[in-house]
């Protein structure tokens, strides 16, 4: 007989306000998942990307945002009418 090692788990108590709990429950019901799996999935996503929820922007994101501000500073902007005209041209 072969012994099977069970994975080690850590348990954490977290406090979530009612709105977050309700949103997680609805999402779990819609996806057929459990609230626990949604929370673990979110935690793994942040851990895999090396990010925290408070700092979810990557270096690439920050560089693109900085470039967008630089474009604005250089006057490289479009008016609402120009954007709408471009969208209309694509949709035709």
């Amino acid at each position: 007989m072969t012994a099977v090692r069970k994975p080690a788990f850590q348990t954490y108590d977290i406090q979530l306000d009612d709105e977050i709990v309700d949103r997680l429950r609805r999402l779990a019901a819609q996806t057929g998942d459990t609230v626990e799996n949604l929370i673990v999935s979110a935690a793994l996503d942040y851990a895999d990307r090396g990010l925290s929820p408070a700092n979810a922007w990557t270096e690439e994101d920050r560089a693109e945002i900085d470039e967008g501000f630089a474009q604005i500073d250089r006057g490289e902007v479009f008016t609402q009418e120009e954007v709408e005209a471009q969208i209309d041209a694509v949709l035709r």
Side-chain angles (χ1 to χ4, degrees), residues 2 10 13 18 26 38-39 42 50 52-53 63 65 70-71 82 87:
T2 304
Q10 293 289 321
D13 291 325
D18 290 341
R26 283 194 305 272
L38 293 175
I39 293 170
S52 72
I65 291 167
Q71 288 173 338
E82 290 171 323
I87 291 171

Side-chain angles (χ1 to χ4, degrees), residues 18-30 35 38:
D18 290 341
E19 179 186 346
I20 294 172
V21 172
D22 289 342
R23 290 172 61 187
L24 286 169
R25 286 180 178 156
R26 283 194 305 272
L27 182 58
Q30 291 170 355
V35 170
L38 293 175

